[in-house]
């Protein structure tokens, strides 16, 4: 719920939902924000470590922000400062992926006073948040449609880090654009190609090859233009924990981009996952995304991947 805050027009909310979105919109609009009752009724009340880490990141990219948190962490007051930017570094909490932080930076970066160039360290790929690979393949082309372009717009993966220990590092750079150009983007178009990345860190390089083969065994039935890269990190570039995963990107003739990704279970958590199983399941997830794009939300009522595969096979991509 929201309410007025007097002459200062302070926005008031309750609960921990949409914390990132509230802070981002507060920063862009310049309106102060107060959030109460953050997990107040839970055994461990207040902000989590990854949320506190996100607040510190917001403080770094702004100048003059005022942040107040009570002793229990259940109340947050945020008065946004100027979006400053510049060259920065930030260590992300290993509880969440770098994608958790990068999603919000993508919204804020074009409106900085100085072009943003930031190094983020932590977990690059996990099972919860969008991976850096997916954001690089989907978010950057979307930003370009709004006129945010140039050589200074990039996401570069220097090191991969898998949970639980992380150890990954990425570079995100974005130019300044005070005004975005409007776009009309209503026709998704038909699928023309599929690209992807199969990565492996601190495990055999064959893991990535096995994921590629199993994903292609599903996708080759529907489309010939498929290329899945393998990315095996070793040495200092491989982070601190072993793991592997795959992300797949489908692109339409009109520039719509669909994605699906899966990652192995963190070391010491859950059952071991075969790379063949991971590759096939990720391919089926991508086909479900394509199915929903072509035939609308009613596709979700069908019986999962097999129905999606059948429909795509009958009608063609």
């Amino acid at each position: 719920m929201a309410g007025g805050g007097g002459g200062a027009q302070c926005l008031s909310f309750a609960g921990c939902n949409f914390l990132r979105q509230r802070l981002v919109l507060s920063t862009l609009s310049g309106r102060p924000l107060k959030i109460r009752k953050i997990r107040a009724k839970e055994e461990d009340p207040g902000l989590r470590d990854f949320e506190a880490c996100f607040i510190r990141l917001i403080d770094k990219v702004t100048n003059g922000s005022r942040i107040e948190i009570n002793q229990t962490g259940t109340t947050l007051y945020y008065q946004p400062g100027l979006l400053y930017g510049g060259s920065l570094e930030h260590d992300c909490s290993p509880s969440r992926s770098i994608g958790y932080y990068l999603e919000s930076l993508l919204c804020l970066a074009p409106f900085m006073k100085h072009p943003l160039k930031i190094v983020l360290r932590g977990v690059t790929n996990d099972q919860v948040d969008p991976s850096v690979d997916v954001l690089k393949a989907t978010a950057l082309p979307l930003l370009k449609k709004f006129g945010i372009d140039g050589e200074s717009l990039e996401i570069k993966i220097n090191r991969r880090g898998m949970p639980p220990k992380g150890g990954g590092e990425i570079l995100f750079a974005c130019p300044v654009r005070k005004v975005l150009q409007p776009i009309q983007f209503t026709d998704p178009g038909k699928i023309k190609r599929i690209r992807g990345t199969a990565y492996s860190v601190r495990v055999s390089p064959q893991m990535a090859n096995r994921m590629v083969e199993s994903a292609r065994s599903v996708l080759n039935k529907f489309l010939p233009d498929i290329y899945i890269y393998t990315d095996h990190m070793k040495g200092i570039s491989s982070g601190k924990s072993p793991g592997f995963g795959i992300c797949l990107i489908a692109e339409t003739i009109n520039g719509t981009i669909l994605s699906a990704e899966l990652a192995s279970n963190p070391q010491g958590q859950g059952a071991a996952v075969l790379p063949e199983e991971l590759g096939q399941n990720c391919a089926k997830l991508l086909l479900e995304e394509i199915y929903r794009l072509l035939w609308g939300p009613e596709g979700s009522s069908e019986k999962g991947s097999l129905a999606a595969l059948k429909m795509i096979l009958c009608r063609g991509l």
Side-chain angles (χ1 to χ4, degrees):
M1 56 183 291
Q9 294 183 322
C10 179
L11 298 170
S12 180
F13 297 94
C16 62
N17 290 338
F18 312 111
L19 179 74
R20 287 182 303 162
Q21 291 88 332
R22 288 167 176 170
L23 289 172
V24 166
L25 294 175
S26 172
T27 305
L28 291 173
S29 63
R31 298 184 66 180
L33 176 74
K34 190 168 189 177
I35 304 176
R36 302 181 178 88
K37 300 178 182 178
I38 301 174
R39 301 185 181 90
K41 295 183 179 180
E42 296 187 16
E43 292 183 5
D44 183 18
L47 294 166
R48 298 289 182 258
D49 60 342
F50 59 87
E51 292 168 332
C53 186
F54 177 76
I55 293 170
R56 288 194 294 271
L57 175 62
I58 292 292
D59 188 38
K60 281 185 180 179
V61 299
T62 58
N63 187 12
S65 293
R66 179 183 166 195
I67 301 169
E68 296 177 3
I69 303 172
N70 68 349
Q71 281 189 339
T72 57
T74 55
T75 301
L76 165 67
Y77 175 77
Y78 171 63
Q79 184 174 348
L82 173 71
L83 277 168
Y84 193 76
S87 297
L88 302 167
E89 295 183 3
H90 186 69
D91 293 324
C92 303
S93 169
S95 304
R96 298 293 289 264
S97 163
I98 290 176
Y100 174 84
Y101 306 88
L102 189 56
E103 279 184 308
S104 298
L105 283 181
L106 286 164
C107 301
L108 296 172
F111 308 105
M112 302 282 180
K113 184 176 181 180
H114 301 285
L116 180 65
K117 189 173 184 179
I118 186 168
V119 174
L120 299 174
R121 300 185 183 93
V123 175
T124 57
N125 306 79
D126 68 0
Q127 298 175 324
V128 181
D129 299 295
S131 69
V132 179
D133 299 273
V134 164
L135 290 176
K136 181 178 180 179
T138 59
L140 294 191
L142 185 61
L143 288 178
K144 290 177 181 179
K145 289 182 182 294
F146 288 96
I148 305 168
D149 206 344
E151 293 181 0
S152 55
L153 177 64
E154 69 167 334
I155 296 176
K156 182 181 178 182
I157 302 173
N158 296 327
R159 296 199 295 263
R160 286 194 185 274
M162 302 292 293
K165 296 180 181 179
E169 180 182 292
I170 71 140
L171 169 68
F172 171 53
C174 182
V176 174
R177 295 289 186 274
K178 295 300 182 184
V179 179
L180 303 183
Q181 66 182 32
I183 62 171
Q184 187 171 1
F185 195 45
T186 56
D187 181 16
K190 294 188 176 182
I191 305 297
K192 68 175 182 179
R193 64 185 178 192
I194 293 175
R195 297 290 183 265
T197 302
Y199 56 87
S200 57
V201 293
R202 294 190 175 271
V203 295
S204 169
Q206 284 302 314
M207 294 292 193
N209 296 330
R210 289 161 65 182
M211 284 186 290
V212 171
E213 290 176 10
S214 60
R216 290 186 66 95
S217 69
V218 175
L219 298 173
N220 276 340
K221 300 174 184 176
F222 312 112
L223 197 69
D225 191 359
I226 299 170
Y227 195 92
I228 305 173
Y229 301 87
T230 58
D231 183 15
H232 176 66
M233 293 284 192
K234 54 186 178 180
I236 194 173
S237 301
S238 62
K240 300 177 181 178
S241 297
F244 55 89
I246 183 171
C247 71
L248 298 172
I249 309 295
E251 185 179 346
T252 71
I253 56 176
N254 291 344
T256 302
I257 298 176
L258 303 174
S259 66
E261 63 174 330
L262 285 175
S264 60
N265 291 326
Q267 186 181 21
Q269 301 178 25
V273 181
L274 291 174
E276 288 83 3
E277 183 181 349
L278 208 66
Q280 286 187 1
N281 289 340
C282 189
K284 291 177 181 179
L285 281 176
L286 183 67
L287 291 176
E288 283 192 11
E289 289 293 322
I290 296 171
Y291 176 66
R292 292 192 184 98
L293 175 73
L294 298 181
W295 289 282
E298 64 273 10
S300 59
S301 63
E302 297 286 350
K303 295 180 180 179
S305 307
L306 295 178
L309 290 171
K310 184 177 179 181
M311 290 295 293
I312 293 173
L313 183 60
C314 293
R315 298 195 183 187
L317 290 172

